[in-house]
Amino acid sequence: MQGSSTSPIRLAITPGEPAGIGPDIVIQLAQSSYPHELIIVGDPLLFAQRAKQLQLPLSIKQTSIEELRNTAPMATKAQQLTVLPITLAQPSQAGQLNPSNAPYILNTLDTAINGCLQGTFSALITGPIHKGVINDYGIPFSGHTEYLAEKTNTEKVVMLLATKGLRVALATTHLPLKEVSSHLTQSSLEEILRILHTDLQQKFGLRSPHILVAGLNPHAGENGHLGMEEITIISPVLNRLREEGFNLTGPLPADTLFTPKYLEHADAVLAMYHDQGLPVLKYLGFGQAVNITLGLPIVRTSVDHGTALDMAGTGKADTGSLLTALNTASNMAQVHIKEAE
């Protein structure tokens, strides 16, 4: 694995849905050493059984929050998994969803989130979950991002996806296209840009981040002929923030924004809606991309893929996105620690 050569920090990983590939990719990744300490929050028996199914060697060491608080982080050895134990409600079979284990998934998240808030962990890396199985159990659940915001008492968060050479943040996320315009307001856009700007400074170490802002409409509205949102919403916000020193370019037509002419001088792109920015990013780096939640009091990254139930237990899952999420989290955490000193 890759990683920083600085002093080890402690990172929490929640593998997500126990029937999916989350446990697989954690075990596969554990076959190599890592320069930081990785603490897996989950059921030790699950990892032992899945490692046997994958025919991969694995030594499991259990720990506790008390032990972690009283010991310094250390590098992770190959073929060793340090687990903060949370017990499954029922045994999990690869590829077979069981709603009874929904509370287990949320318990792993709660434990890791609390550990980050209390300073036991420097960052949280989340594996893929299956929202449907949690809702089937009777627990309303819209996703990791919303859950993290609620548990950390964060009013507003921003979704940022990143891969090599490109970072894309979203002004709106999982909305029907017909609802995007009504959810796009000057106040929401300004808040999102402030969060994006601040976290690029505090968690990525960029002193004056250059942000490209997409228009909402084709050709960025073409001076009002193809829509008025650029004139009435986006441009006024950009002008106000530029007066405060923000380095912003836009609103730009989305069909030409993602070209070297613009991207080679930019640190991030703000897209107005989900499918405006993410198809480009996923084309460029699917399997090597990371989902980052900005605005939280903790560092959180996640894989860019789902549970892949059909691949669970087969050994065919790709660890690329988890490794990217891990390296991104460790780098962000170290910058965040340095900025806070």
Side-chain angles (χ1 to χ4, degrees):
M1 300 185 208
Q2 298 176 354
S4 171
S5 59
T6 60
S7 299
I9 58 175
R10 186 170 283 138
L11 308 169
I13 300 178
T14 54
E17 168 55 51
I21 62 170
D24 298 40
I25 56 179
V26 166
I27 293 165
Q28 290 170 234
L29 204 65
Q31 299 305 302
S32 302
S33 61
Y34 197 72
H36 300 295
E37 186 171 31
L38 308 181
I39 306 298
I40 316 302
V41 186
D43 194 322
L45 184 59
L46 168 67
F47 304 119
Q49 292 173 338
R50 193 66 62 85
K52 184 177 181 180
Q53 186 173 355
L54 295 171
Q55 298 182 350
L56 291 174
L58 190 68
S59 171
I60 297 176
K61 172 192 173 186
Q62 295 191 39
T63 187
S64 66
I65 288 292
E66 291 73 20
E67 181 181 357
L68 295 173
R69 286 174 180 165
N70 293 313
T71 58
M74 62 184 69
T76 298
K77 296 179 181 178
Q79 300 177 359
Q80 180 173 304
L81 211 63
T82 302
V83 179
L84 184 59
I86 304 290
T87 304
L88 282 161
Q90 294 183 6
S92 178
Q93 300 296 320
Q96 299 179 25
L97 293 173
N98 185 345
S100 296
N101 283 322
Y104 160 83
I105 298 167
L106 300 185
N107 285 342
T108 65
L109 278 172
D110 290 344
T111 300
I113 292 168
N114 289 335
C116 288
L117 291 172
Q118 295 166 6
T120 306
F121 306 120
S122 296
L124 167 61
I125 300 93
T126 58
I129 56 172
H130 193 289
K131 289 182 280 190
V133 76
I134 299 174
N135 284 284
D136 287 345
Y137 182 81
I139 302 174
F141 186 84
S142 55
H144 265 129
T145 303
E146 295 81 2
Y147 192 80
L148 283 156
E150 178 187 348
K151 291 295 180 176
T152 59
N153 295 314
T154 304
E155 186 174 343
K156 185 74 173 179
V157 294
V158 175
M159 181 184 293
L160 174 76
L161 274 82
T163 191
K164 185 177 181 180
L166 182 62
R167 301 184 186 100
V168 177
L170 301 178
T172 62
T173 53
H174 300 119
L175 291 174
L177 192 56
K178 66 179 181 180
E179 295 181 15
V180 169
S181 179
S182 62
H183 281 77
L184 197 63
T185 65
Q186 285 195 25
S187 60
S188 69
L189 184 60
E190 180 173 337
E191 189 175 13
I192 287 163
L193 277 166
R194 288 188 184 279
I195 292 171
L196 176 58
H197 177 84
T198 298
D199 273 17
L200 286 173
Q201 289 180 318
Q202 296 181 355
K203 295 177 182 175
F204 289 88
L206 301 169
R207 294 302 172 193
S208 180
H210 181 200
I211 301 170
L212 306 182
V213 181
L216 174 66
N217 299 293
H219 301 176
E222 216 168 74
N223 295 318
H225 296 291
L226 293 176
M228 293 297 294
E229 288 85 356
E230 288 77 12
I231 295 172
T232 61
I233 298 171
I234 302 174
S235 290
V237 172
L238 302 190
N239 290 335
R240 281 201 300 272
L241 294 178
R242 287 189 188 107
E243 291 177 359
E244 296 182 23
F246 282 52
N247 187 4
L248 305 171
T249 299
L252 295 169
D255 63 345
T256 54
L257 183 160
F258 293 98
T259 57
K261 171 186 174 181
Y262 291 109
L263 292 181
E264 65 185 4
H265 302 297
D267 295 305
V269 172
L270 179 63
M272 291 298 108
Y273 56 94
H274 187 279
D275 282 13
Q276 183 183 59
L278 297 195
V280 180
L281 183 133
K282 293 196 175 186
Y283 174 78
L284 180 65
F286 189 73
Q288 304 292 326
V290 56
N291 187 340
I292 305 165
T293 306
L294 304 181
L296 296 171
I298 65 174
V299 172
R300 179 262 175 164
T301 67
S302 180
V303 296
D304 71 342
H305 57 74
T307 54
L309 295 169
D310 59 325
M311 297 178 65
T314 68
K316 297 179 181 179
D318 190 338
T319 61
S321 184
L322 178 59
L323 182 57
T324 303
L326 191 56
N327 288 336
T328 302
S330 64
N331 291 336
M332 289 176 64
Q334 289 173 99
V335 170
H336 192 48
I337 291 168
K338 184 177 180 179
E339 291 290 330
E341 289 177 347

